[in-house]
Amino acid sequence: MRKWGMWVLVAAMLLAVPAFAGPALKGKVAVVLDVGGRGDLSFNDMGFKGTDQAAQDFGLEMVEVQSATAADYLPNLRNLARTREYDLIICVGFLLGDALAQAATEFPNQKFAIIDSVVDAPNVMSIVFRENEMSALIGALAAMAAAHHGYPKAGVVLGIEIPVLYHFEAGFRFGMDWGNKQYAAVTGKPAQVEMLYTYTGSFSDIALGKAATEAMLAQGAVGVYNVAGPLGIGDLEAITEYHRNRGTRSGPPYYFGVDANQDWMGKGLHGLASGMKRVDTGCYMAVKAVVEGTFTGGIVSLGLAEGGVGISKYGDLLEFIEFGVKAGALKPEDIAETILNWQANRATLPDWIWAAIDELEAGILNGTIQVPTADTVAEMQAVRAKYTLGAP
């Protein structure tokens, strides 16, 4: 056990990413990833992005620790905390919650933060997001796009069935219902776009994502919302193949990205919009709180009002195109073409639909529109019963 612990610590040191090359480093932070790991261009990469930016801004050294299996979670946290070198240890992902609950008790003087889970301990900042709010915007967009183009359904492919994903599903259902009603109000034509959804049980099995999306496209889905991180690569593959087989470059079916702005993926040909969950912002805020001496344990909830979630816009596209270039997923010479492709795809919808999305966003922000959410199976079932959309 001791040898294993030593190996994990050595591995952590080998993965160290000096974020500030000068001698004036003022501290040290660590970011611990679950088994999903880097390279997803989404959730985990966003955690790295925000922590790395904070390390640069505040002159800190940053260490990244990748967990190979779930059995690594607790040893990784223990080995980092045991050194007493870290001003903050950030756990990126719900799956690290149980391990952190134990580590936080064993090391009460170590400050921790966790993304997407709540750990009730005075030395843990639990950062959660109101994913229902951004998913309502994507759901409304999907429903109105389907009605406009004459498609009967819109789809969402989800990963493991855990509480945080209920937030996405609840918001998407509400949004689709709102979009159906908005389409009818504006056009005078009825809209009854139905919803397709699948919990794949995985965040990483790309083949599962592709198969689920292919099934939805076969049933007439106007597009598919990725709520499964890396698995969404399979969603985009299925949509790309669909277009390739029909010789089309833009228009439905669309890909709706998640967490990061993923509109640029596939050179921007099929990404209509992304439900952005700013994990990077959450990580940055946690580091900033430690540096400024305002860190406290407890829950920090980030929604539209705090800039923690949102629907992608042009400025986000530019920021994340750069993100993709740095990750080696997009060539610099393809940037201009990607932007043109994205603009062409957005132009396949009339301006009034985009204005309607702005209206929904404003209503959520000023509190006149309340988006439901769910944290338990019973709560999710209640939302499904209210917003059936042909998919109880």
Side-chain angles (χ1 to χ4, degrees):
M1 185 65 185
R2 185 176 180 181
K3 284 183 178 179
W4 172 244
M6 289 290 291
W7 184 90
V8 172
L9 183 58
V10 170
M13 298 303 106
L14 289 174
L15 285 169
V17 181
F20 189 78
L25 296 175
K26 301 172 184 174
K28 200 169 182 179
V29 295
V31 58
V32 182
L33 304 173
D34 64 25
V35 293
R38 290 290 308 285
D40 61 354
L41 301 173
S42 182
F43 186 84
N44 287 309
D45 283 345
M46 293 280 279
F48 178 88
K49 177 178 181 289
T51 310
D52 181 54
Q53 187 62 53
Q56 292 183 46
D57 290 351
F58 299 116
L60 308 173
E61 181 181 350
M62 173 181 159
V63 168
E64 173 194 359
V65 179
Q66 171 63 57
S67 304
T69 71
D72 293 342
Y73 297 160
L74 185 55
N76 283 347
L77 294 177
R78 280 174 171 161
N79 286 322
L80 289 167
R82 197 172 285 141
T83 67
R84 300 182 181 180
E85 295 179 357
Y86 295 91
D87 299 283
L88 179 67
I89 298 172
I90 302 176
C91 300
V92 180
F94 173 89
L95 297 176
L96 287 153
D98 289 344
L100 176 56
Q102 184 165 338
T105 300
E106 295 176 4
F107 301 93
N109 296 320
Q110 171 67 58
K111 295 182 178 67
F112 295 96
I114 186 165
I115 300 292
D116 263 3
S117 186
V118 174
V119 173
D120 185 13
N123 55 332
V124 178
M125 178 182 286
S126 299
I127 301 168
V128 296
F129 297 84
R130 300 198 292 279
E131 297 92 348
N132 56 319
E133 295 181 353
M134 71 188 196
S135 296
L137 301 176
I138 297 296
L141 179 60
M144 290 186 286
H148 174 73
H149 288 297
Y151 281 68
K153 301 178 188 295
V156 52
V157 174
L158 304 110
I160 300 171
E161 190 167 345
I162 53 179
V164 67
L165 265 62
Y166 289 155
H167 305 171
F168 289 88
E169 185 191 335
F172 192 82
R173 283 179 180 272
F174 170 86
M176 281 196 64
D177 181 74
W178 190 94
N180 276 334
K181 293 173 180 172
Q182 187 72 5
Y183 181 87
V186 172
T187 66
K189 303 173 185 176
Q192 295 178 329
V193 180
E194 296 185 343
M195 173 181 167
L196 300 169
Y197 74 105
T198 298
Y199 281 90
T200 60
S202 169
F203 287 112
S204 57
D205 191 331
I206 293 172
L208 271 181
K210 185 176 181 181
T213 299
E214 287 174 340
M216 291 179 179
L217 297 181
Q219 296 176 71
V222 72
V224 171
Y225 183 25
N226 166 31
V227 186
L231 181 144
I233 294 172
D235 302 340
L236 183 56
E237 285 182 357
I239 291 167
T240 300
E241 286 185 10
Y242 185 98
H243 280 277
R244 185 185 303 130
N245 292 337
R246 287 158 180 78
T248 51
R249 283 180 60 86
S250 58
Y254 304 108
Y255 173 75
F256 300 98
V258 74
D259 294 341
N261 180 317
Q262 298 184 321
D263 297 358
W264 59 271
M265 293 171 63
K267 292 187 181 180
L269 283 169
H270 308 304
L272 186 63
S274 295
M276 297 186 65
K277 174 174 163 177
R278 301 306 300 253
V279 174
D280 55 335
T281 299
C283 291
Y284 189 97
M285 289 175 61
V287 176
K288 185 171 185 285
V290 170
V291 170
E292 296 181 346
T294 60
F295 178 94
T296 59
I299 298 173
V300 175
S301 176
L302 302 178
L304 279 177
E306 298 82 11
V309 301
I311 189 170
S312 57
K313 297 181 172 64
Y314 182 63
D316 302 312
L317 175 71
L318 299 183
E319 177 185 355
F320 280 85
I321 277 180
E322 185 66 23
F323 179 69
V325 170
K326 287 181 179 177
L330 184 70
K331 297 177 182 177
E333 58 268 31
D334 292 331
I335 291 176
E337 179 185 350
T338 299
I339 293 173
L340 289 174
N341 288 338
W342 179 81
Q343 291 172 329
N345 213 29
R346 303 271 283 203
T348 61
L349 294 181
D351 289 344
W352 75 260
I353 289 183
W354 295 109
I357 296 301
D358 291 341
E359 178 184 333
L360 175 57
E361 184 177 36
I364 297 171
L365 281 168
N366 66 28
T368 57
I369 296 175
Q370 303 289 326
V371 182
T373 192
D375 287 308
T376 65
V377 172
E379 291 172 353
M380 191 65 250
Q381 288 173 338
V383 175
R384 287 170 182 163
K386 185 172 183 179
Y387 303 102
T388 306
L389 297 162

